[in-house]
Amino acid sequence: MHLDGRVALVTGAGRRIGRAIALGLSGQRAHVAVHYNESAAEASAVVEEIRGAGGIAQAFSADLGDAAAPAQLISDVVAALGRIDVLINSAAVMLRTPIGTVTAQQWDAIMALNLRAPFLLAQAAAAAMGTRGGAIVNIADLAAFEAWSDYIPHGISKAGVVQMTRALAHALAPAVRITGVAPGSILLPSQWSSEVGERLAATTPLKRLGTPDDVVGAVLYLLAADYVTGETLIVDGGRHVRR
């Protein structure tokens, strides 16, 4: 799949990995729909950076925790940019929720954004793509494959993303390909200490933390790999094989 002139929606594109993916797609001459919720200034900066480099981009606001928002966002992108060819489900929340402290409200908020929204976005995007087809990449997490005791709801939501990728790939083939990327230690939460980062790097087989560009490279590969669907590519420097 070539990206030149294709319309790509990246959710959570104002910050962190979503931002890097939006810029990476623009570098391949895709027309980028930059989704944001609370990060309006950051999303605007991404749009301006893309336009400044000669690309095409537009920002779209949506609270994906609202059940009606995913379908409306797809509709808005199609109305503004004429079509949708690529969806990158990047928007997510990672909350520390030690066992014994998890509330129903936390559970619902995590599942709504991390799992329900990507599914509803994919469903609406696939309908908009129609027989013309397209590609969807879901951003999962290494937590989908490991047991992080302080992040159990998060891990469950991301394991759901991996299963969703497999199931949608079967349901939407051959017109729409669905793949996933599961990053490991890429951009650590701001509240984590430098010592945590050093320990993670030391215990990673490749002896370093990852960068957003590592994830962007995986996304671009999956978009180009026309004979790959249903797979989630782990990008973690080998942490999942260290034991």
Side-chain angles (χ1 to χ4, degrees):
M1 182 184 195
H2 67 85
L3 294 174
D4 191 357
R6 302 290 183 107
V7 174
L9 167 62
V10 183
T11 66
R15 299 173 178 168
R16 296 171 63 84
I17 290 175
R19 175 184 182 278
I21 294 172
L23 295 174
L25 294 177
S26 176
Q28 299 297 311
R29 298 179 295 280
H31 301 176
V32 184
V34 177
H35 161 263
Y36 69 94
N37 182 21
E38 298 177 347
S39 55
E42 293 94 332
S44 178
V46 173
V47 169
E48 291 307 310
E49 184 170 347
I50 291 172
R51 291 176 177 174
I56 295 174
Q58 184 170 334
F60 295 84
S61 174
D63 177 2
L64 296 178
D66 180 341
Q72 185 62 54
L73 176 59
I74 298 298
S75 178
D76 291 346
V77 170
V78 172
L81 299 178
R83 56 192 284 167
I84 183 169
D85 304 291
V86 173
L87 167 64
I88 311 295
N89 276 315
S90 180
V93 62
M94 181 178 179
L95 297 179
R96 181 176 182 272
T97 51
I99 192 67
T101 72
V102 182
T103 67
Q105 291 78 12
Q106 287 174 325
W107 175 277
D108 289 346
I110 291 168
M111 298 301 162
L113 181 57
N114 290 10
L115 187 54
R116 184 182 68 191
F119 177 84
L120 294 177
L121 282 161
Q123 180 174 254
M129 291 170 183
T131 57
R132 184 183 72 253
I136 298 171
V137 181
N138 297 317
I139 305 301
D141 195 304
L142 185 58
F145 303 95
E146 297 187 337
W148 298 357
S149 59
D150 283 351
Y151 294 87
I152 292 176
H154 173 77
I156 293 170
S157 73
K158 291 301 187 176
V161 168
V162 172
Q163 174 58 21
M164 177 181 71
T165 299
R166 290 169 52 84
L168 286 177
H170 182 263
L172 298 176
V176 181
R177 291 189 305 110
I178 319 288
T179 55
V181 176
S185 302
I186 304 294
L187 293 173
L188 302 182
S190 58
Q191 67 270 27
W192 288 16
S193 68
S194 59
E195 288 77 12
V196 173
E198 291 167 2
R199 183 168 66 252
L200 287 171
T203 55
T204 296
L206 294 186
K207 300 303 181 186
R208 69 172 178 89
L209 300 181
T211 71
D213 285 343
D214 293 319
V215 179
V216 173
V219 169
L220 293 179
Y221 161 72
L222 290 170
L223 290 175
D226 286 337
Y227 201 54
V228 177
T229 194
E231 291 299 316
T232 295
L233 179 59
I234 300 175
V235 180
D236 72 342
R239 291 192 62 81
H240 69 291
V241 297
R242 68 190 185 277
R243 298 195 188 98

